[in-house]
């Protein structure tokens, strides 16, 4: 059995080598649900839980459509836009609520097309994964050769704790930003409604 350090170095290497699928690698034809699931599982295998939990299921996708997180399929088929939405949602749902994800996607796609936004997302994700992999690998290589004892495990537990706290703080910041933008947008909309109402009374 590989040591904890060897396991994490291998895991970090896989994370560094992972590339979020680019828009140009998306299928050229629209896909049915079962084809979408197969494609997404292949693309997102690295994000599967250690307990074997699937990264995506038909019920998840149906729920996203029902709650208007992603557009409805066209005659039960999913386009490149749908695949881009799904990859983004499946990653972001780990740190944001579906409501916040919907707000974020709606804001971004109101200003740029889906392809442009997705390519930016893909680049950001690769960079974020690289930084995380480097941090895990650095501690693993520094501890290489050390026995898998309580002291070694404590080092990695402390890193896990630090990463968890950082993830939580980043999530809080993202939610604060989205909430502020939403409130600002709602105030602007209410102001326009009042202006129209006043003009109607004049």
């Amino acid at each position: 059995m590989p040591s904890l350090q060897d396991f994490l170095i291998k895991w970090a290497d896989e994370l560094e080598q992972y590339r979020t699928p680019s828009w140009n690698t998306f299928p050229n034809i629209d896909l049915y649900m079962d084809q979408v699931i197969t494609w997404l599982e292949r693309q997102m295998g690295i994000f599967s839980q250690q307990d074997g939990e699937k990264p995506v299921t038909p019920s998840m996708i149906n729920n996203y459509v029902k709650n208007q997180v992603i557009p409805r399929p066209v005659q039960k088929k999913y386009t490149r836009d749908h695949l881009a939405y799904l990859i983004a949602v499946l990653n972001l749902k780990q740190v944001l609520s579906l409501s916040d994800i919907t707000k974020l996607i709606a804001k971004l796609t109101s200003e740029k097309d889906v392809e442009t936004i997705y390519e930016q997302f893909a680049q950001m994700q690769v960079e974020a994964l690289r930084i995380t992999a480097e941090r895990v690998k650095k501690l693993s290589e520094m501890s290489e050769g050390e026995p898998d004892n309580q002291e070694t495990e404590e080092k990695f537990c402390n890193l896990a704790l630090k990463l968890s706290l950082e993830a939580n703080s980043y999530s809080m910041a993202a939610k604060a930003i989205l909430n502020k933008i939403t409130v600002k947008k709602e105030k602007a909309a209410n102001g326009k409604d009042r202006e129209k109402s006043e003009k109607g009374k004049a």
Side-chain angles (χ1 to χ4, degrees):
M1 179 180 294
S3 66
L4 177 60
Q5 296 91 323
D6 290 341
F7 168 80
L8 289 174
I9 288 173
K10 181 175 182 296
W11 177 85
D13 282 338
E14 292 176 355
L15 201 63
E16 276 185 323
Q17 293 166 14
Y18 174 78
R19 290 295 176 267
T20 306
S22 67
W23 183 271
N24 291 333
T25 65
F26 283 10
N28 291 320
I29 59 173
D30 297 344
L31 306 178
Y32 286 106
M33 175 71 84
D34 59 335
Q35 296 171 312
V36 170
I37 296 295
T38 299
W39 187 81
L40 286 172
E41 285 182 340
R42 188 165 61 246
Q43 303 301 325
M44 302 189 64
I46 195 169
F47 299 105
S48 297
Q49 300 295 320
Q50 296 298 320
D51 58 9
E53 182 181 347
K54 290 183 177 295
V56 60
T57 64
S59 61
M60 286 183 192
I61 295 177
N62 288 332
N63 185 51
Y64 300 153
V65 171
K66 179 181 177 181
N67 289 285
Q68 300 181 339
V69 182
I70 67 171
R72 290 190 171 279
V74 181
Q75 296 181 341
K76 297 185 178 181
K77 287 187 176 182
Y78 296 81
T79 65
R80 283 184 166 192
D81 281 9
H82 286 103
L83 297 180
Y85 275 107
L86 285 167
I87 288 177
V89 171
L90 290 169
N91 281 280
L92 294 173
K93 73 171 189 172
Q94 305 301 322
V95 290
L96 293 174
S97 67
L98 290 182
S99 175
D100 283 334
I101 293 172
T102 303
K103 294 174 187 175
L104 177 58
I105 291 177
K107 176 60 178 177
L108 293 174
T109 55
S110 70
E111 300 173 356
K112 297 180 182 178
D113 60 86
V114 175
E115 179 181 353
T116 300
I117 295 300
Y118 177 77
E119 288 294 356
Q120 291 177 348
F121 162 84
Q123 292 174 8
M124 290 179 185
Q125 185 180 55
V126 167
E127 179 64 12
L129 295 177
R130 182 189 64 78
I131 292 172
T132 300
E134 286 179 352
R135 292 178 65 181
V136 173
K137 187 184 290 186
K138 182 178 180 181
L139 180 58
S140 300
E141 290 175 344
M142 288 174 59
S143 304
E144 202 167 10
E146 295 180 2
D148 280 350
N149 55 25
Q150 186 173 347
E151 184 178 349
T152 300
E153 290 179 357
E154 185 176 349
K155 288 181 183 178
F156 286 99
C157 281
N158 285 333
L159 177 59
L161 174 60
K162 185 174 179 60
L163 291 171
S164 298
L165 292 172
E166 288 178 359
N168 183 54
S169 65
Y170 293 154
S171 176
M172 289 172 59
K175 291 173 182 177
I177 292 169
L178 291 172
N179 182 62
K180 182 63 176 178
I181 290 174
T182 301
V183 170
K184 182 179 178 181
K185 187 176 180 180
E186 288 175 350
K187 285 183 177 179
N190 290 336
K192 288 181 180 179
D193 289 341
R194 283 196 299 270
E195 186 177 336
K196 288 180 180 179
S197 178
E198 290 172 358
K199 285 183 178 179
K201 293 178 181 178

